[in-house]
């Protein structure tokens, strides 16, 4: 009799976004006239940069065969995203993929079952759910915390800085600029993490999907700007947010040569070799057309267009911050990241605030508690929308709060 | 200390195609003038159908957001590929993905560790390697057979028909038209498999990536043409081969509603729900542009262009069969599939024949032993190439054999 992977049954009801979709669908079926604005999921709304569109159309006629990542794209990435910032990352260490979500969950394939895992709380749910599905956790408690995981709270109480764990862990998920809180980490803060990882032989899984939104020139964009990070960190990057590739699909993972893990019997094994094998066997590369589009991100026109896109969304974020603050809400993030993290009004929990905004303002956001127990009492608004929708949504939210 | 997944270390040296690439590279570095023709890997060579290219260019300007599979594509697939052949498959049961290789290895995520697994021998290496990597096998023996797997030989001795296992297995990988042998299965043969699976509560993983190459109208294209298959089979399909999407990336997996597996404690669980959850959490959909290109496969122009592509490659296959037979080699397959499966000359093993053709004819094929121990003494030639290359390659192989 065929057996299923019972770990899936440990998952708490619904991945966050399907649950949101369910509630929005129920509401809009009951209120078909309500003009809903979605500031919930982090999908970009503006068109692809013109440089990317031109490159993709040209690529369709010159269609090549698939490759794990064409050298011309991996070299453009290494030069522009890493070497230009002093990171000694080479094209060989870059694996092009169809999404950071895939990579950050697939990475568990090459890691052992005995690792002690730390995640922030709140956290991007994929890090947790992929561990649950792979059987690397116990059951969830009533607050949605899974046994076997170490949760590192990031809240207003600690300035949205995850504290270094007191005990040893082997695998640490970090995301800066942070989804969902919009918080950032300084070089000094990341240095503490790298030092911890090196001292404990731990591996940092660093998600830099939002690095393009950093405005402060002092902040690091890559973990490899930190001394020693090549020995203890894998980094995930994406074209989804900076260049609007959400519907186009292109991302990359950096696995430095010489980064080691151990077998259960203590033998040292290079992670690059395992990831290369994993991707060769279980993945078949990204569409040639899409890789040509991604390459165009690094042309002078592409760079200017991406910069304009980022500026557009960051102006949205500034509007959201300003308007909600003027309505008396406490707001965080949104200054170096496209997410604004809002404290819900006194006495209203995350899902309560979600339902209130959906029903009274017809605005969809994301309940903070969906990102973890410590996200309770917060709410995430995304800056990825048109200016008109953002202005309209802010007006409606303020009216609902004043009512 | 971070631990790696030690199962990766069980893998026998190199995935087949990287090993071929290594030998070809070494040869061409030593012989830079040799005009190598590649009939090894099954990557198509002809351009994308014009209908697909037009649809993709239009899609780039209308770029939508990503979805697991747009309803318009899933409906086109359900209608044209399944309902038209009497299979009661609905759009809901179709999951669009970026490749059959990904899906056929990722499917293990939702299946338990205790399943007894059967594969044919020879076999598409991804089925085996993904099981090794997931820890579902023991170590390999000297012939490359992994402990814990049930191997079902398909050779000339049994007419390239895998025999129903004598004992119980829970998971069965079948691929028809077959890669690498080019063999096909009749409805009566597949009915035996479905009957076996239903009797034993087993799951058939049916790879139909090459169904478009079937010429005989009596042969089934889908496992769902077989009575009872909805209760025991998942099917993988691809646009890579029929429509030349190898470099474009689009495929699909069919998981019927109501298809069940059990937990370790005997609870019945629907596989559709688990796969839907897996894809929602660990995958982020296929490029909108690419999905529009795939949809165009089903337009009248697209259908005519795909038919012409298939006919072109099948004429290549016919040439390969005819020429090699005239040179005294025993040939199989290539009549309902784009692969010709050649018996190596007496006294020459698979890798020996590979090296002979590489060095003397500068033609790259695939050693049968790379697909499994029972593939020893065979050699796979792919029909995916230009007519000029196929003719030239056949001339050179005949000259090398006559020398």
């Amino acid at each position: 009799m065929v057996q299923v992977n019972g770990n899936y049954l440990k998952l708490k009801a619904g991945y966050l976004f399907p649950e949101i979709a369910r509630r929005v669908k129920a509401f809009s079926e009951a209120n078909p006239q309500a003009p809903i604005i979605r500031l919930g999921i982090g999908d970009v709304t503006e068109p692809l940069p013109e440089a990317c569109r031109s490159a993709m159309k040209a690529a369709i006629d010159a269609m090549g065969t698939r490759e794990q990542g064409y050298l011309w794209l991996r070299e453009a990435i290494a030069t522009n995203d890493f070497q230009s910032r002093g990171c000694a990352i080479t094209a060989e260490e870059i694996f092009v993929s169809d999404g950071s979500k895939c990579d950050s969950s697939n990475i568990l394939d090459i890691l052992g079952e005995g690792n002690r895992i730390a995640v922030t709380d709140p956290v991007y749910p994929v890090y947790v759910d992929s561990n649950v599905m792979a059987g690397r956790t116990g059951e969830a408690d009533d607050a949605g915390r899974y046994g076997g995981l170490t949760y590192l709270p990031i809240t207003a109480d600690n300035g949205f800085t995850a504290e270094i764990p007191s005990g040893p862990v082997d695998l640490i998920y970090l995301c800066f600029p942070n989804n969902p809180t919009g918080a950032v980490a300084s070089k000094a803060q990341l240095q503490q993490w790298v030092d911890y990882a090196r001292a404990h032989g731990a591996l940092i899984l660093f998600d830099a999907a939002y690095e393009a939104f950093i405005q402060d020139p002092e902040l690091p964009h890559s973990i490899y700007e930190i001394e020693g990070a090549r020995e203890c960190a894998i980094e995930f990057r994406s074209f989804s947010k900076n260049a609007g590739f959400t519907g186009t699909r292109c991302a990359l993972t950096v696995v430095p040569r010489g980064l080691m893990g151990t077998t259960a019997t203590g033998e040292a094994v290079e992670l690059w070799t395992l990831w290369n094998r994993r991707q060769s066997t279980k993945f078949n590369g990204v569409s040639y057309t899409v890789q040509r589009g991604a390459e165009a991100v690094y042309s002078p026109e592409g760079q200017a267009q991406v910069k304009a896109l980022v500026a557009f969304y960051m102006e949205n974020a500034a509007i959201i911050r300003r308007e909600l603050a003027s309505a008396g809400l406490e707001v965080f993030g949104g200054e170096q990241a496209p997410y604004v993290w809002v404290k819900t009004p006194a006495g209203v929990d995350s899902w309560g605030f979600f339902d209130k905004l959906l029903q009274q303002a017809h605005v969809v956001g994301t309940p903070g508690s969906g990102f973890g127990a410590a996200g309770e009492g917060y709410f995430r608004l995304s800056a990825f929308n048109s200016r008109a929708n953002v202005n309209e949504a802010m007006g409606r939210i303020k009216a609902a709060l004043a009512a």
Side-chain angles (χ1 to χ4, degrees), chain A residues 66-402:
Chain A
R66 57 112 188 80
E67 252 185 46
Q68 282 303 339
Y70 286 93
L71 189 58
W72 36 260
L73 176 56
R74 290 184 286 116
E75 282 183 342
I77 293 166
T79 305
N80 291 279
D81 284 344
F82 295 99
Q83 291 163 14
S84 72
R85 299 192 66 84
C87 310
I89 296 296
T90 65
E92 183 192 28
E93 298 172 321
I94 290 166
F95 294 81
V96 174
S97 83
D98 66 327
S100 273
K101 191 186 195 183
C102 315
D103 288 353
S104 63
S105 49
N106 289 337
I107 197 77
L108 290 178
D109 282 8
I110 67 165
L111 299 173
E113 304 203 335
N115 290 312
R116 293 158 296 186
I117 296 157
V119 294
T120 61
D121 179 8
V123 68
Y124 179 47
V126 168
Y127 309 153
V128 172
D129 289 357
S130 56
N131 273 289
V132 176
M133 291 154 79
R136 312 285 168 92
T137 73
E139 301 283 345
D141 65 17
D142 290 341
R145 284 196 172 98
Y146 291 91
L149 293 185
T150 298
Y151 288 92
L152 309 170
I154 45 173
T155 63
D157 298 337
N158 62 15
F160 296 99
T161 307
E163 270 156 52
I164 304 284
S166 48
V169 298
D170 305 304
L171 203 57
I172 304 154
Y173 290 82
L174 293 178
C175 174
F176 292 109
N178 188 252
N179 175 16
T181 67
V184 285
S186 68
K187 280 187 188 171
Q189 286 166 332
L190 289 186
Q191 187 71 59
Q192 290 185 315
W193 281 108
V194 168
D195 292 346
Y196 172 89
R198 291 171 77 191
H200 292 84
L203 177 67
I204 296 172
L205 299 172
F206 190 76
D207 187 343
Y210 299 96
E211 58 79 29
F213 298 87
I214 291 174
Q215 308 292 307
D216 180 345
E218 293 302 311
L219 291 171
H221 288 234
S222 167
I223 188 82
Y224 304 114
E225 294 180 50
I226 309 304
E227 168 99 33
R230 282 184 60 91
E231 296 162 36
C232 64
I234 286 172
E235 181 165 307
F236 305 102
R237 291 257 181 139
S238 174
F239 294 93
S240 289
K241 312 295 177 173
N242 62 341
F245 271 51
T246 306
T248 305
R249 315 302 317 141
C250 199
L252 60 114
T253 290
V254 183
V255 186
R257 296 303 309 241
L259 172 60
M260 310 299 280
T262 61
T263 63
T265 54
E267 188 191 346
V269 178
E270 197 187 27
L271 296 179
W272 186 96
T273 309
L274 298 187
W275 185 246
N276 189 48
R277 183 64 194 254
R278 194 265 167 216
Q279 292 299 82
S280 300
T281 300
K282 298 181 71 173
F283 181 60
N284 225 336
V286 171
S287 179
Y288 171 79
T289 309
V290 170
Q291 294 196 53
R292 281 292 184 202
E295 183 194 29
V297 165
Y298 299 103
S299 70
E301 306 76 41
Q303 287 287 289
Q305 291 160 11
V306 164
K307 216 171 196 174
L309 261 180
V310 166
F312 173 80
Y313 290 128
M314 290 310 289
E315 177 64 23
N316 281 351
I319 292 169
I320 296 172
R321 279 182 59 89
R322 187 183 67 225
E323 294 299 311
L324 296 186
S326 81
L329 291 173
E330 200 175 359
V331 294
F332 304 95
E335 293 181 314
Q336 320 282 343
Y339 295 121
V340 179
W341 189 240
V342 186
K343 188 94 192 71
T344 57
V348 184
D349 70 5
S350 294
W351 277 108
F353 197 59
F354 174 89
D355 289 334
K356 178 183 172 71
L357 291 197
L358 175 60
Q359 285 156 24
Q360 296 173 21
H362 310 330
V363 171
V364 179
T366 313
S369 59
F371 297 100
E376 181 56 86
Y378 290 93
F379 197 75
R380 191 190 77 173
L381 287 171
S382 152
F384 294 121
N385 219 308
S386 67
R387 185 62 43 78
N389 272 352
V390 168
N391 285 329
E392 170 72 17
M394 291 306 112
R396 289 200 216 148
I397 292 175
K398 287 169 84 171
L401 291 172

Side-chain angles (χ1 to χ4, degrees), chain A residues 24-43:
Chain A
V24 172
K25 185 163 177 252
F27 175 79
S28 64
E29 278 169 5
N31 304 274
Q33 307 305 324
I36 293 175
I37 297 176
R38 293 161 196 273
L39 298 180
I41 56 174
D43 284 359

